[in-house]
Amino acid sequence: MNKFGRKQSRKNAFIKKITLFLFFMTLTINAQIDKIEPPFWYAGMHNPSLQIMFYGKDIAKYEVSVSNETKIVDIKKTENPNYIFVTIDTKNTPVTDLLFSFKNKNKIVFNRKYSIKQRRENSAQRKSFDASDMLYLIMPDRFANGNPSNDSNKATVEKHNRDLPGGRHGGDIQGIINNLDYISSLGATAIWSTPLCEDNDAAYSYHTYAQSDVYKIDPRYGTNEDYVRLASEMHKKDLKLIMDYVTNHWGIEHWMMKDLPTKDWIHQFENFTQTNHKRSTISDTNASKIDTQICLDGWFVSSMPDLNQANPLVLNYLKQNAIWWIEYADLDGFRVDTYNYSDPKGIAEWTKAVTDEYPNFNIVGEIWMHNQAQMAYWQKDSKIGAIQNYNSNLPSVMDFTLHDALETVFNEDDGTWDKGMTKIYDNFANDFLYPNPDNILVFAENHDTSRFNELYNNDIKKYQMAMALLATVRGIPQLYYGTEIGMRGEKNKGDADIRQDFPGGWIGDESNAFLKEGRTEGQNQYYDFTSKLFNWRKTNEAVHFGKMTHYIPENNVYVYFRYTNSKTVMVVMNNSNDNHTIKTNRFQENIKTHKTGKDILTEASYDLSNEITIAGKSVLILELQ
């Protein structure tokens, strides 16, 4: 072959290689892998088994292999050919990029990279929230708009409309970051934000409990990176980030609802069936099977399909999604929505998977019931649950019976056998039912209830008694945004009324309650009291984990003590309209050798040797000296 021929041959070979390369690149592009979830994972996890979901047109027709000597443990194909679930063993897999190969008739059609990343140092031993914390509950759409450019997004249906009470108002992650100092100034040490993942409902999407993508922050709140930055900025200020996680349901607009992996991914009935909300059927030995099934399998509302945690693929998906967010965003805890609407066995397994991976991680479940035994049933290691051989593994529950009492008790001026402060006393008299009373969330209101200041018509004295109670009894206190400036809202007027915008969170607001000079005199009265109370609470270990002794209320006056070996706090709460003088000898077993008590609110000193006089509708929090 002459020189020209050899040159032409090399040129043809080069063209052939380029053509083949472009051909395989085209195959990869056209392979239509639309989703990989989890999108990446981490090396050195406690549970080495990782189930990766690949989603794309007819993906199940391919055979799958993986590089780096990583072992494929299991491959699941469902009745839907657009899904394939590949389980690998990551026990000896280092930080690396794996290469998954998809073959057809033993020929590689395309490859897909999958990253195994480095965990944060001591990630598994991360400290969570506990009774030394105070949680500040935020609905981000209604708190502060830090980035007006993301108020609407082309990828989501509902657009910004602040004039619509139930519309999207524009609050976002940047708004939270901008006001972290304000939150800290209240004495809060943790933030519980209602869900931030994408909710693509056409209306009322601001509450974000009907999520459409559980691996993606809603673009109207920001990006995944913004959420990670929120956690980072909070940790710099010694604040903890608690994610509101939903195990029971997704939104009807979730991308999977358009193309379910399996028919039983969600609970389906011949006709739409809503839950009966009767969660007592789960532990009721007399309950009918049909009532229990409808409670657990019925949909919360028509826009929230009910997930089937009894399906192993669904359960694994939820476990890994929760763990992924903890690791990725460096989270400090979960609040789990509608916890006991989920399959009991499945939700217990989900909870154990999370706490096995993170032994110190606290999870508080929404157990909205009105009986202490039924709530205690759901706390980890409950003796009540053990009667039925059930353990939810859930570390913390919400004290809804205390909330019920707080909605009425301060209007009951005359203490009787079952009214007034006796309601509060009786609530704590049932603490023997709980395996861990210190790890219970206590609150006067949240985003689903009428606001406390609405119920009590902005009576600052009643507010002070309620907050003093939350700050000094056992458990973890939670404050709802805006309560600290006297915000009101009535549940019967609709959810938008109890979820109003925080004044000053938007450019152009008439007032800015984030600043002292922007608050009215009345708002500052609320703020100053709240800030002083909960900042004091941060410093006193007796009200964190100390023991509690309380005394039967007399004349609607309730007295209790929180104490350790080195500190004692005495709380005197007068819920009557009259001044009362109480003899201190009745409380000698707790007063012991202490001579005086200093009120942390007024800094006045009280002689404990004989008697204490307390004004009507007021509270004393005395540090004994």
Side-chain angles (χ1 to χ4, degrees):
M1 183 181 294
N2 59 30
K3 184 176 180 182
F4 175 82
R6 288 195 298 271
K7 187 174 181 181
Q8 185 64 38
S9 178
R10 286 195 297 269
K11 183 177 180 181
N12 290 342
F14 177 76
I15 291 171
K16 185 176 180 181
K17 286 181 180 179
I18 289 293
T19 303
L20 285 171
F21 174 78
L22 291 173
F23 171 73
F24 282 112
M25 283 295 292
T26 302
L27 281 177
T28 301
I29 293 168
N30 292 335
Q32 295 182 9
I33 292 188
D34 299 318
K35 295 274 188 181
I36 301 179
E37 294 179 341
F40 51 83
W41 200 245
Y42 294 89
M45 301 300 283
H46 171 77
N47 181 3
S49 180
L50 171 63
Q51 174 187 287
I52 306 172
M53 183 202 74
F54 295 95
Y55 173 70
K57 179 68 173 173
D58 293 326
I59 188 90
K61 71 182 180 182
Y62 298 107
E63 299 168 12
V64 186
S65 61
V66 65
S67 65
N68 290 31
E69 300 182 355
T70 300
K71 182 180 178 183
I72 291 181
V73 178
D74 186 39
I75 294 177
K76 284 272 192 310
K77 298 181 180 181
T78 70
E79 67 262 31
N80 187 336
N82 298 331
Y83 289 86
I84 187 167
F85 295 83
V86 180
T87 302
I88 62 173
D89 183 351
T90 66
K91 184 175 182 180
N92 298 314
T93 303
V95 174
T96 187
D97 285 336
L98 300 176
L99 194 67
F100 282 89
S101 296
F102 293 79
K103 302 176 183 178
N104 191 6
K105 296 179 181 179
N106 270 339
K107 291 183 179 179
I108 295 176
V109 179
F110 62 92
N111 297 308
R112 185 54 65 98
K113 185 179 78 171
Y114 191 86
S115 296
I116 304 294
K117 300 191 174 188
Q118 180 70 50
R119 300 181 74 180
R120 291 179 176 84
E121 189 176 357
N122 298 319
S123 174
Q125 301 303 320
R126 65 186 62 229
K127 188 180 185 298
S128 193
F129 66 98
D130 57 28
S132 65
D133 289 297
M134 188 270 269
L135 278 56
Y136 190 71
L137 167 58
I138 290 172
M139 291 209 77
D141 184 68
R142 306 305 167 89
F143 186 62
N145 187 353
N147 181 12
S149 68
N150 65 18
D151 288 355
S152 295
N153 185 276
K154 63 182 180 181
T156 49
V157 177
E158 188 174 13
K159 307 305 179 186
H160 174 264
N161 184 358
R162 201 179 174 201
D163 293 330
L164 182 65
R168 300 284 312 199
H169 290 189
D172 51 28
I173 291 172
Q174 188 59 51
I176 301 173
I177 293 173
N178 292 349
N179 293 291
L180 291 178
D181 287 340
Y182 170 82
I183 295 169
S184 290
S185 75
L186 289 167
T189 58
I191 294 173
W192 156 24
S193 166
T194 53
L196 285 158
C197 283
E198 182 189 87
D199 183 335
N200 204 16
D201 279 345
Y204 302 104
S205 64
Y206 73 91
H207 63 76
T208 331
Y209 282 98
Q211 296 171 47
S212 51
D213 190 332
V214 295
Y215 277 101
K216 179 185 178 183
I217 295 297
D218 193 297
R220 292 160 293 190
Y221 291 139
T223 63
N224 284 21
E225 292 75 19
D226 288 332
Y227 190 53
V228 175
R229 185 164 56 88
L230 169 64
S232 177
E233 293 301 315
M234 287 176 61
H235 292 158
K236 291 175 186 177
K237 298 178 184 294
D238 294 323
L239 290 167
K240 300 171 184 177
L241 179 58
I242 298 166
M243 174 183 257
D244 199 327
Y245 196 89
V246 188
T247 53
N248 179 65
H249 53 262
W250 287 342
I252 197 70
E253 296 301 325
H254 190 283
W255 66 268
M256 274 194 202
M257 296 304 131
K258 319 299 181 187
D259 191 24
L260 285 172
T262 65
K263 184 179 180 181
D264 67 347
W265 192 269
I266 59 174
H267 291 120
Q268 301 197 50
F269 297 80
E270 187 174 342
N271 298 302
F272 169 71
T273 301
Q274 188 169 8
T275 177
N276 53 32
H277 297 284
K278 203 69 175 172
R279 279 96 63 214
S280 58
T281 56
I282 299 166
S283 55
D284 180 1
T285 56
N286 303 311
S288 67
K289 290 181 180 179
I290 186 62
D291 287 345
T292 307
Q293 181 194 6
I294 291 175
C295 170
L296 292 172
D297 298 354
W299 292 20
F300 201 79
V301 293
S302 59
S303 62
M304 295 178 178
D306 199 73
L307 291 166
N308 178 15
Q309 298 85 15
N311 179 329
L313 292 176
V314 175
L315 186 58
N316 246 349
Y317 184 100
L318 293 172
K319 288 178 189 175
Q320 291 181 171
N321 177 256
I323 291 168
W324 185 86
W325 275 113
I326 296 168
E327 200 68 35
Y328 170 68
D330 202 14
L331 300 178
D332 303 292
F334 279 152
R335 178 265 185 182
V336 179
D337 182 65
T338 55
Y339 185 90
N340 58 343
Y341 284 83
S342 296
D343 173 74
K345 183 177 181 294
I347 195 64
E349 193 177 323
W350 176 89
T351 308
K352 189 175 188 302
V354 174
T355 52
D356 279 352
E357 201 67 62
Y358 306 95
N360 303 318
F361 199 78
N362 204 1
I363 303 173
V364 56
E366 182 189 31
I367 310 293
W368 196 335
M369 304 183 82
H370 306 282
N371 175 286
Q372 281 104 332
Q374 291 177 356
M375 292 192 302
Y377 177 93
W378 290 95
Q379 193 176 32
K380 180 182 178 181
D381 298 332
S382 168
K383 292 181 180 178
I384 302 171
I387 295 171
Q388 298 180 350
N389 198 31
Y390 182 72
N391 191 344
S392 73
N393 300 304
L394 177 67
S396 175
V397 297
M398 299 170 69
D399 196 343
F400 274 98
T401 56
L402 179 61
H403 163 262
D404 293 344
L406 291 176
E407 284 193 319
T408 60
V409 67
F410 299 114
N411 284 336
E412 296 168 351
D413 302 332
D414 299 319
T416 61
W417 184 253
D418 61 352
K419 293 191 184 302
M421 296 314 293
T422 303
K423 278 186 178 178
I424 304 298
Y425 175 90
D426 285 346
N427 190 79
F428 300 123
N430 282 316
D431 274 359
F432 71 94
L433 295 166
Y434 294 104
N436 186 0
D438 284 335
N439 201 21
I440 296 176
L441 192 74
V442 293
F443 58 101
E445 63 188 348
N446 63 29
H447 60 294
D448 289 321
T449 71
S450 286
R451 282 189 175 268
F452 182 90
N453 295 315
E454 180 72 34
L455 296 173
Y456 290 102
N457 198 28
N458 279 118
D459 189 321
I460 187 68
K461 291 183 177 180
K462 294 173 181 177
Y463 173 82
Q464 289 171 341
M465 286 192 289
M467 292 301 110
L469 188 80
L470 296 182
T472 56
V473 296
R474 84 318 184 239
I476 308 164
Q478 170 246 298
L479 184 71
Y480 184 37
Y481 82 96
T483 300
E484 75 279 1
I485 57 167
M487 281 180 66
R488 299 177 64 158
E490 186 179 337
K491 176 71 173 177
N492 290 337
K493 292 181 180 178
D495 286 340
D497 202 55
I498 58 176
R499 303 168 181 175
Q500 296 178 40
D501 296 346
F502 191 97
W506 281 253
I507 296 171
D509 281 1
E510 291 183 6
S511 61
N512 184 358
F514 288 114
L515 303 174
K516 182 176 182 178
E517 58 271 22
R519 294 189 287 267
T520 66
E521 182 179 350
Q523 287 174 333
N524 271 318
Q525 189 178 8
Y526 274 89
Y527 171 87
D528 291 344
F529 174 84
T530 309
S531 176
K532 184 169 188 176
L533 173 67
F534 286 106
N535 274 293
W536 163 80
R537 188 186 188 277
K538 286 168 65 173
T539 68
N540 196 295
E541 63 185 27
V543 295
H544 298 163
F545 300 105
K547 295 180 180 178
M548 179 175 178
T549 300
H550 65 165
Y551 294 79
I552 299 169
E554 294 180 350
N555 301 315
N556 219 3
V557 177
Y558 182 40
V559 178
Y560 59 93
F561 293 78
R562 298 294 309 282
Y563 54 95
T564 63
N565 290 333
S566 59
K567 286 191 176 183
T568 299
V569 173
M570 178 182 183
V571 181
V572 184
M573 191 167 295
N574 181 4
N575 191 35
S576 75
N577 289 315
D578 302 322
N579 296 353
H580 280 288
T581 298
I582 59 172
K583 299 291 184 181
T584 56
N585 60 349
R586 182 186 176 206
F587 315 113
Q588 196 56 47
E589 66 183 271
N590 290 104
I591 291 176
K592 297 181 178 178
T593 59
H594 295 292
K595 303 298 182 184
T596 60
K598 184 179 180 180
D599 182 20
I600 64 103
L601 299 172
T602 64
E603 300 184 11
S605 186
Y606 288 79
D607 184 355
L608 303 177
S609 61
N610 187 20
E611 59 186 29
I612 295 173
T613 299
I614 179 171
K617 295 295 180 184
S618 71
V619 60
L620 301 175
I621 302 176
L622 305 177
E623 286 188 324
L624 302 197
Q625 299 167 345

